[in-house]
Amino acid sequence: MKKSRYTCGLDAAMDIMGGKWKVLILWGLCDGPRRFGEVRREVPGISERILTLQLREMEKAGLVLREDYHQIPPKVVYSLTEFGSSLLAALIPLGDWGAEHMARIEAIPRD
Amino acid sequence: MKKSRYTCGLDAAMDIMGGKWKVLILWGLCDGPRRFGEVRREVPGISERILTLQLREMEKAGLVLREDYHQIPPKVVYSLTEFGSSLLAALIPLGDWGAEHMARIEAIPRD
DNA sequence: CAGTATCCCCCGAGATACTG
DNA sequence: CAGTATCTCGGGGGATACTG
């Protein structure tokens, strides 16, 4: 048993969206279902392996739905669940904040 | 040059509050200025070294203000800047979301 | 009290190659 | 097309001891 309780809601929220990519994947799915390759294009810079891992974790967390059409060539479609949508909604103000201060954030020295 | 541009506001926001502790430190400062030891108590589980490092980064980022009273025994007070406060404000909905779904988040299998 | 100074370690993340 | 299978690596984070 690692940690049975969070100190606050922010703690819990940061935990479920942990990692470098989950939030961007969420964002990439906001306009509707996407196939694996489409998600990959929505999230520039992510490797196939990492995308797979992140999507699996998000599926376990109930944030995304994975639908495998079991056909060849393969077709798998990912979409936000209600739970994932509600998280994304809660992230909108943060996204707005980031957009508003992007120039300033970019100007912060990186070391 | 690592990355000169973010893909969206969320990307930038996640970058500046990166790491495991910054959000909790922000949260710990929301009720007013705190001395080093007080912040430590507000953020259970963090070590002195890590707290120092995180606070330094947040100071560089302009999120917190560090005031050294240059006295012995030492007294250093940390507080949120306007910038930090605005970020914290943008995080409120996320904190609410996390609090609302804490039980569910806690129930997610951790491996 | 508010930090440094060391040392260590895990794992998130990347690159590349291969497959049903 | 949508993934595995390996291998590798860096550094963020942790524990502990020491200091002005």
Side-chain angles (χ1 to χ4, degrees):
Chain A
M1 198 173 296
K2 289 269 173 74
K3 218 191 204 182
S4 53
R5 191 152 210 113
Y6 298 108
T7 62
C8 65
L10 269 177
D11 197 359
M14 291 302 290
D15 194 25
I16 200 178
M17 36 179 276
K20 191 167 150 185
W21 298 106
K22 291 200 182 66
V23 170
L24 297 179
I25 294 171
L26 233 39
W27 185 255
L29 288 173
C30 73
D31 284 328
R34 292 280 185 276
R35 299 183 59 171
F36 182 86
E38 292 173 327
V39 180
R40 187 153 160 52
R41 263 163 260 134
E42 296 267 8
V43 186
I46 196 169
S47 73
E48 292 182 358
R49 196 183 82 93
I50 299 299
L51 179 55
T52 302
L53 290 175
Q54 299 289 313
L55 282 170
R56 289 289 192 278
E57 282 179 30
M58 294 170 76
E59 190 193 0
K60 276 183 196 158
L63 293 171
V64 304
L65 180 67
R66 178 181 188 272
E67 291 173 288
D68 190 336
Y69 284 75
H70 298 98
Q71 61 185 42
I72 295 182
K75 175 180 177 182
V76 179
V77 172
Y78 293 92
S79 55
L80 293 181
T81 61
E82 276 302 313
F83 192 47
S85 292
S86 68
L87 172 55
L88 188 57
L91 284 167
I92 298 297
L94 183 63
D96 290 347
W97 182 90
E100 194 177 341
H101 299 96
M102 192 175 294
R104 177 169 182 177
I105 296 172
E106 232 175 292
I108 298 170
R110 290 286 164 232
D111 40 274
Chain B
M1 196 174 296
K2 289 268 172 76
K3 219 191 202 184
S4 54
R5 193 150 210 115
Y6 297 109
T7 61
C8 65
L10 227 32
D11 198 358
M14 291 302 291
D15 195 24
I16 199 179
M17 36 179 277
K20 192 167 150 186
W21 298 107
K22 291 199 182 68
V23 169
L24 297 179
I25 294 171
L26 233 40
W27 185 255
L29 289 173
C30 72
D31 285 328
R34 293 279 185 276
R35 299 183 60 172
F36 183 85
E38 293 173 325
V39 180
R40 186 156 160 49
R41 263 164 261 132
E42 297 266 8
V43 186
I46 195 169
S47 74
E48 293 181 358
R49 196 182 83 93
I50 299 300
L51 180 55
T52 302
L53 290 175
Q54 299 290 310
L55 282 169
R56 290 287 191 280
E57 281 180 30
M58 294 169 77
E59 190 193 359
K60 274 185 198 158
L63 294 171
V64 303
L65 180 67
R66 178 181 187 271
E67 291 173 289
D68 190 337
Y69 285 74
H70 298 98
Q71 60 184 42
I72 294 183
K75 176 178 175 184
V76 179
V77 172
Y78 293 92
S79 56
L80 293 182
T81 60
E82 276 300 314
F83 193 47
S85 293
S86 68
L87 172 54
L88 187 56
L91 284 167
I92 298 297
L94 184 62
D96 291 346
W97 182 90
E100 194 177 341
H101 299 94
M102 193 174 293
R104 177 169 182 176
I105 296 172
E106 232 175 291
I108 298 170
R110 289 285 164 233
D111 40 274

